[in-house]
């Protein structure tokens, strides 16, 4: 079967709507520590930016699991009492964000089951593009699913595997799924960490007081005082049991990897190192390239906090225009707030951002953010700067136009909702009310990306080159084939 071209891919995604869970997640695991659940709690605390809707920890005392999962932020969900109840020297944890439809406690992770080989819990980051097809197949054979999460498919496959050892059963299950997974799995006595052969999502290994730790990002290792050992390799499965680490490479190493470039652009915390390189430095470099690609005469460069900060600094340094924080962000904003009956103009955006009045008056401002999704943030912020007296507002975006959704674990909306999928840059400039608008070019992004991500990355949300198709049973097509399809002249 030929690889899926871009538009067909989107149609398929619509057809398989249930397969798109938009799960943005962070995972953490620790093996062999007296305070395992407390350390997992801290690890999740550092990974909170990867998911704010639900969280959970499962601990093992070597025989059985205890779990606590709830909707809400890590700091609100966990307290001394429920952490003390999570007994044992091994634990895994998960933070999750999903769009409203699947925002249910039954989708909170880690997911726990009892198998004939003992208790098993998994916490998964990434989206499995063939989860829906496998689920339908299993349901047809009588399986009952407790959640709508794609991760549960892995547990069902594991439970049905004919292999002996639980790690072999997990590998068997993982060899049937397609897409992105960086996951941690807890059995009664082992912690297993696995990363898909294409390495879409990050996963790092560390050590703490003789214990092994795995985390989505190195900022979690920093918080608990763990030493970074190395990243889990794409296609690698690590089994930690009785203080010993065994590494397995059951999946064929792929020539090209597809690390998600959006992790570096926006999603990961700037103090994390991804693939051995600091995220903050990467974003600054994008800002520098952006300044070279889209120069403008201005009095100040200011970011949309916090997402545009590093790129704005890079832009400012390269352009020689002073960096100023002209907009202040309230960091304590929740998703919903009670608005007074008499509505206040621009209330929504003012809850989150406010301009420093007199400071902006008469100035030509370069406003930098990492990306435009629907365009709503910038419409409001550009208006806010103008209300504060800005003479000119020049918007600069440190990534290319987001023209397609992500199918591998970043929450971007459908193509129809993405402003850049249906509008030209000039039209977007008009909609957001900016004097000029400049996006980083795809080539510019690729040049910066290639310096750090040597074995290849996925930029499907910008380029439309999706490396893994959703056709059931189809083998992984090569990215170059997508490019070839893209370059075909229009008929
Ligand atoms: P919008 O207002 O819809 O254009 O969203 C743009 C803002 O959302 C930017 O400030 C981005 O930093 C931020 N953003 C981009 N991608 C995501 C994402 N997947 N989840 C949450 N925020 C995002």
């Amino acid at each position: 079967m030929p690889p899926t071209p871009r538009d067909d891919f989107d149609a398929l995604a619509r057809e398989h709507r249930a397969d798109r869970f938009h799960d943005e997640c962070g995972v953490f695991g620790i093996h062999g520590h007296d305070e395992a659940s407390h350390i997992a709690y801290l690890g999740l605390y550092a990974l909170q930016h990867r998911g704010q809707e639900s969280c959970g920890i499962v601990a093992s005392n070597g025989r059985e699991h205890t779990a606590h999962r709830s909707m809400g932020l890590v700091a609100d969900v966990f307290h001394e009492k429920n952490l003390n109840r999570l007994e044992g020297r091994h634990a895994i944890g998960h933070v999750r964000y999903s769009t409203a439809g699947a925002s249910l406690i039954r989708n909170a992770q880690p997911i726990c089951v009892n198998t004939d080989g003992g208790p098993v819990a998994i916490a998964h980051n990434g989206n499995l593009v063939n989860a829906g097809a496998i689920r339908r197949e299993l349901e047809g054979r009588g399986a009952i699913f407790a959640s709508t999460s794609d991760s549960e498919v892995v547990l069902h496959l594991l439970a049905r595997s004919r292999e002996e050892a639980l790690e072999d059963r997990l590998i068997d299950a993982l060899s049937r799924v397609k897409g992105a997974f960086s996951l941690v799995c807890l059995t009664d006595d082992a912690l297993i960490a696995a990363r898909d052969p294409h390495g879409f999502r990050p996963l790092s290994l560390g050590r703490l007081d003789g214990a092994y730790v795995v985390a989505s990002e190195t900022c979690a290792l920093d918080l608990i005082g763990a030493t970074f050992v190395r990243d889990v390799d794409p296609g690698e499965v690590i089994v930690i049991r009785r203080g010993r680490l065994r590494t397995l490479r059951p999946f064929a190493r792929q020539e090209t990897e597809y690390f998600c470039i959006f992790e570096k652009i926006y999603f990961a915390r700037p103090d994390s190192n991804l693939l051995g390189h600091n995220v903050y430095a990467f974003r600054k470099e994008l800002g520098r390239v952006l300044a070279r690609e889209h120069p403008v005469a201005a009095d100040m460069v200011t970011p949309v906090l916090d997402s545009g900060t590093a790129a704005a600094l890079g832009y400012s340094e390269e352009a020689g225009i002073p960096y100023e924080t002209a907009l202040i962000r309230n960091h304590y904003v929740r998703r919903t707030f009670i608005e007074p009956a008499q509505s206040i103009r621009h209330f929504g955006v003012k809850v989150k951002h406010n301009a420093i009045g007199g400071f902006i008056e008469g100035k030509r401002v370069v406003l930098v953010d990492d990306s435009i999704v629907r365009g709503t943030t910038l419409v409001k912020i550009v208006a806010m700067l103008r209300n504060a007296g800005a003479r000119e507002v020049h918007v600069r975006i440190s990534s290319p136009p987001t023209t397609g959704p992500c199918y591998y674990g970043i929450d971007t909306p459908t193509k129809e909702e993405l402003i850049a999928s249906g509008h030209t840059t000039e039209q977007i400039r008009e909609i957001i009310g900016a004097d000029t608008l400049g996006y980083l070019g795809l080539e510019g992004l690729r040049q910066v990306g290639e310096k750090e991500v040597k074995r290849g990355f996925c930029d499907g949300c910008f380029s439309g080159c999706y490396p893994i198709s959703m056709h059931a049973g189809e083998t992984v097509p090569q990215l170059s084939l997508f490019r070839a399809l893209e370059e075909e002249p229009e008929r």
Side-chain angles (χ1 to χ4, degrees):
M1 199 183 290
T4 321
R6 216 171 137 147
D7 293 335
D8 184 22
F9 200 96
D10 221 51
L12 261 168
R14 272 196 296 278
E15 185 188 314
H16 291 248
R17 172 60 60 102
D19 301 10
R20 281 200 62 214
F21 294 101
H22 313 292
D23 285 7
E24 286 180 347
C25 306
V27 298
F28 185 89
I30 180 156
H31 188 275
H33 198 286
D34 288 339
E35 292 193 283
S37 61
H38 283 76
I39 304 282
Y41 157 79
L42 290 175
L44 295 184
Y45 212 105
L47 298 173
Q48 185 75 81
H49 61 289
R50 298 184 69 88
Q52 300 88 45
E53 202 159 77
S54 66
C55 57
I57 296 175
V58 174
S60 176
N61 61 7
R63 294 178 311 283
E64 54 190 13
H65 285 177
T66 42
H68 185 72
R69 278 169 309 219
S70 180
M71 305 305 283
L73 299 175
V74 176
D76 298 332
V77 165
F78 290 102
H79 42 76
E80 202 59 45
K81 217 162 145 191
N82 58 25
L83 281 175
N84 284 338
R85 226 175 35 76
L86 300 175
E87 268 182 23
R89 303 187 76 236
H90 323 305
I92 60 170
H94 190 260
V95 287
R96 176 173 194 266
Y97 169 75
S98 74
T99 48
S103 154
L104 304 164
I105 181 64
R106 65 191 161 101
N107 283 341
Q109 293 195 23
I111 312 176
C112 315
V113 289
N114 276 312
T115 69
D116 52 358
V120 179
I122 63 164
H124 165 215
N125 174 212
N127 272 18
L128 305 174
V129 295
N130 65 342
I134 295 178
R135 185 185 171 119
R136 283 187 285 280
E137 178 195 319
L138 292 174
E139 281 174 337
R141 288 196 269 138
I144 298 169
F145 283 77
S147 73
T148 60
S149 156
D150 57 345
S151 317
E152 196 184 345
V153 162
V154 177
L155 277 177
H156 273 264
L157 293 172
L158 179 150
R160 281 158 188 261
S161 167
R162 294 183 190 283
E163 296 290 339
E164 261 308 296
L166 280 171
E167 53 264 40
D168 294 333
R169 291 165 79 166
L170 177 67
I171 290 166
D172 199 16
L174 293 177
S175 63
R176 285 211 51 203
V177 298
K178 288 201 301 178
F181 59 83
S182 277
L183 64 80
V184 286
C185 171
L186 189 67
T187 70
D188 50 3
D189 65 344
L191 169 67
I192 308 168
R195 203 161 159 224
D196 69 74
H198 297 288
F200 280 98
R201 303 271 149 238
L203 195 61
S204 296
L205 176 72
R207 294 217 74 169
L208 172 70
D209 308 332
Y212 282 101
V213 189
V214 275
S216 289
E217 285 182 42
T218 59
C219 64
L221 304 182
D222 292 344
L223 176 63
I224 59 172
T227 319
F228 170 78
V229 176
R230 63 178 176 88
D231 288 328
V232 177
D233 281 337
E236 183 180 9
V237 176
I238 288 177
V239 183
I240 303 156
R241 182 180 278 120
R242 287 187 276 281
R244 290 195 50 207
L245 182 145
R246 205 154 48 96
T247 183
L248 311 169
R249 294 183 193 273
F251 311 115
R253 184 114 200 214
Q254 303 294 315
E255 219 169 275
T256 314
E257 289 166 12
Y258 298 118
F259 186 79
C260 167
I261 202 68
F262 199 62
E263 290 268 357
K264 284 181 161 274
I265 293 169
Y266 167 79
F267 197 47
R269 241 170 70 160
D271 51 334
S272 287
N273 293 333
L274 295 177
L275 311 187
H277 296 274
N278 173 246
V279 171
Y280 175 78
F282 181 83
R283 291 178 190 169
K284 256 187 108 173
E285 182 58 20
L286 293 183
R288 282 196 196 98
V289 177
L290 183 62
R292 292 199 287 274
E293 288 187 5
H294 297 285
V296 64
D299 303 305
M300 67 165 83
V301 178
T302 199
V304 175
L305 294 176
D306 299 314
S307 46
T309 308
L313 272 161
Y315 192 107
S316 152
E317 281 180 11
E318 183 71 23
I321 303 169
Y323 172 95
E324 298 285 2
T325 310
L327 293 155
I328 298 300
R329 177 176 164 195
N330 182 336
H331 284 94
Y332 307 98
V333 177
R334 298 271 165 137
R335 280 225 182 143
T336 54
F337 32 74
I338 302 157
E339 202 172 342
Q342 290 222 324
S343 92
I344 299 171
R345 246 164 71 82
H346 303 304
F347 181 78
V349 73
K350 279 198 278 189
V351 170
K352 198 164 173 187
H353 294 103
N354 195 22
I356 306 183
F359 195 65
I360 295 160
E361 186 121 29
K363 299 275 168 49
R364 297 166 301 169
V365 181
V366 178
L367 178 66
V368 181
D369 203 357
D370 70 293
S371 58
I372 306 180
V373 182
R374 294 179 176 86
T376 41
T377 307
L378 279 174
V379 167
K380 291 167 181 170
I381 288 187
V382 171
M384 184 180 278
L385 288 173
R386 292 213 190 274
N387 287 338
R391 182 148 59 96
E392 292 170 16
V393 181
H394 303 278
V395 173
R396 296 293 180 269
I397 302 297
S398 62
S399 63
T402 308
T403 49
C406 175
Y407 300 98
Y408 316 118
I410 293 285
D411 170 39
T412 23
T414 57
K415 204 172 167 94
E416 293 76 40
E417 293 167 274
L418 290 168
I419 193 167
S421 88
H423 297 89
T424 62
T425 300
E426 174 53 19
Q427 287 167 334
I428 300 171
R429 181 201 65 73
E430 222 178 301
I431 292 167
I432 64 175
D435 291 279
T436 65
L437 167 63
Y439 282 96
L440 182 73
L442 188 57
E443 277 319 305
L445 171 66
R446 284 180 172 168
Q447 273 164 23
V448 181
E450 276 157 18
K451 282 189 215 147
E452 295 193 2
V453 194
K454 299 267 188 306
R455 294 180 62 90
F457 49 84
C458 175
D459 54 25
C461 54
F462 306 121
S463 64
C465 301
Y466 292 110
I468 297 189
S469 160
M470 334 194 138
H471 280 300
E474 186 185 328
T475 52
V476 177
Q478 292 301 306
L479 193 59
S480 55
L481 289 179
F482 281 100
R483 293 222 169 102
L485 276 164
E486 253 218 320
E487 281 155 17
E488 232 177 40
E490 276 186 28
R491 267 165 284 174

